[in-house]
Amino acid sequence: MPIPEEVTGDEIDKDVRQELQSLPKTLAEDVARNLVMVARLLDEDPETAYAYSKIALRLASRVAAVREAGGFAAYANQKYSEALAEFRAARRMTGSVELWPVMADCERGLGRPEKALDMAGAPEVHKLDKAGQVEMRLVAAGARRDMGQLDAAIVTLQSPELASNSVQPWTARLRYAYADALLAAGREQEAREWFAKAVESDRDGSTDASDRLAELDGVEFMDALDEEREGTVESPSAEDSGADKDADGEKD
């Protein structure tokens, strides 16, 4: 697949670049450039990102960073079985637990919420940093909802991180998930309050909390083009005008 000339491979994280040093120089550059394309396209064009990840995997499947990138590309395309296999491979290579939450979410995607809950209670969770622990809590709450356990999902999300007034990278998503669970349980007023809190903390627009809040408040948004069309008064055609004149002339 073509890669823009301005992509050199130097854009990748220094830790990944260090991993690639085990490869011949030319090969390392090719892999790096493909990894850059995966990272650039993962959100806006996951299918193309997946295609680049497959090239990187073909070139350097023994590099943990490549397996991890392949996992995230597969995950973004809802290829959960493939993603889980890649994440497991990356974890075996590095011994790191940081992929544990996304691995658990893959189990959810495969229709195995009970397995995700087992992972949420595993010793590995205690080795995660704060962001990873919050992510694991979100996955566990999602698994509870998958199983129809709404009250348990709400309790799972109740935590010091949720109650904190400090805004962290995970705050908006945590508040949003809590609001959504409350709404699903029929607790609309509480849900509204937490959607509002999610809006306050969502500085980069990572959720649609503002839309959900507006929906609860009964605010309807109309497309600007629709407004213009509704506000336009259709003028009579030349043919219609002529017909009117003829009719007037006959009356005279």
Side-chain angles (χ1 to χ4, degrees), residues 48 57 65-66 73 81 84 87 97 125 170 194 198 225 233 242:
T48 305
L57 282 165
V66 173
S81 180
L84 186 56
F87 289 142
V97 298
V125 175
W170 59 76
W194 281 97
L225 290 175
V233 178

Side-chain angles (χ1 to χ4, degrees), residues 210-215 218-224 226-227:
S210 59
D211 293 339
R212 299 293 298 279
L213 182 61
E215 184 180 339
V219 177
E220 294 185 6
F221 297 99
M222 183 176 291
D223 189 278
D226 291 338
E227 290 182 345

Side-chain angles (χ1 to χ4, degrees), residues 3-250:
I3 297 177
E5 290 184 5
E6 65 269 18
V7 174
T8 65
D10 292 335
E11 301 89 343
I12 61 172
D13 183 84
K14 63 179 182 179
D15 292 334
V16 177
R17 191 181 303 116
Q18 187 171 357
E19 279 192 63
L20 295 179
Q21 286 180 355
S22 61
L23 303 174
K25 183 178 180 181
T26 302
L27 179 59
E29 291 175 354
D30 288 343
V31 174
R33 295 181 74 210
N34 278 283
L35 291 181
V36 171
M37 295 306 296
V38 174
R40 285 189 176 185
L41 298 171
L42 194 60
D43 292 331
E44 63 185 54
D45 188 355
E47 288 187 11
T48 305
Y50 176 74
Y52 280 109
S53 77
K54 298 300 285 186
I55 296 172
L57 282 165
R58 189 174 70 247
L59 294 173
S61 62
R62 295 185 180 182
V63 176
V66 173
R67 302 303 289 266
E68 184 175 329
F72 278 111
Y75 179 81
N77 284 276
Q78 300 182 2
K79 299 178 183 292
Y80 298 117
S81 180
E82 184 178 337
L84 186 56
E86 296 298 345
F87 289 142
R88 283 174 174 167
R91 183 169 180 267
R92 284 195 301 270
M93 293 175 179
T94 64
S96 172
V97 298
E98 66 178 14
L99 294 172
W100 197 253
V102 71
M103 289 169 63
D105 206 39
C106 285
E107 295 288 0
R108 284 186 61 212
L110 290 168
R112 302 194 291 246
E114 297 88 351
K115 177 62 176 175
L117 286 177
D118 288 343
M119 293 179 69
E124 284 83 354
V125 175
H126 301 295
K127 301 176 184 178
L128 294 168
D129 60 14
K130 181 63 67 177
Q133 290 179 5
V134 171
E135 195 64 37
M136 192 72 248
R137 189 177 293 275
L138 287 167
V139 173
R144 290 292 185 188
R145 291 190 63 172
D146 293 343
M147 299 167 68
Q149 301 173 2
L150 283 175
D151 290 340
I154 291 169
V155 171
T156 298
L157 292 168
Q158 292 171 346
S159 60
E161 293 81 19
L162 179 68
S164 175
N165 291 323
S166 172
V167 176
Q168 302 295 335
W170 59 76
T171 302
R173 291 178 59 239
L174 185 59
R175 291 176 176 179
Y176 182 95
Y178 189 58
D180 195 46
L182 288 169
L183 187 61
R187 295 160 61 174
E188 186 171 316
Q189 186 54 44
E190 291 175 86
R192 190 207 172 281
E193 294 173 5
W194 281 97
F195 275 127
K197 291 181 179 181
V199 171
E200 291 174 2
S201 57
D202 194 0
R203 296 169 178 170
D204 59 359
S206 61
T207 74
D208 65 347
S210 59
D211 293 339
R212 299 293 298 279
L213 182 61
E215 184 180 339
L216 286 174
D217 288 342
V219 177
E220 294 185 6
F221 297 99
M222 183 176 291
D223 189 278
L225 290 175
D226 291 338
E227 290 182 345
E228 289 178 7
R229 293 190 190 102
E230 289 184 4
T232 301
V233 178
E234 187 174 331
S235 59
S237 66
E239 185 178 335
D240 291 339
S241 299
D244 291 340
K245 288 179 180 178
D246 290 343
D248 289 341
E250 289 177 5

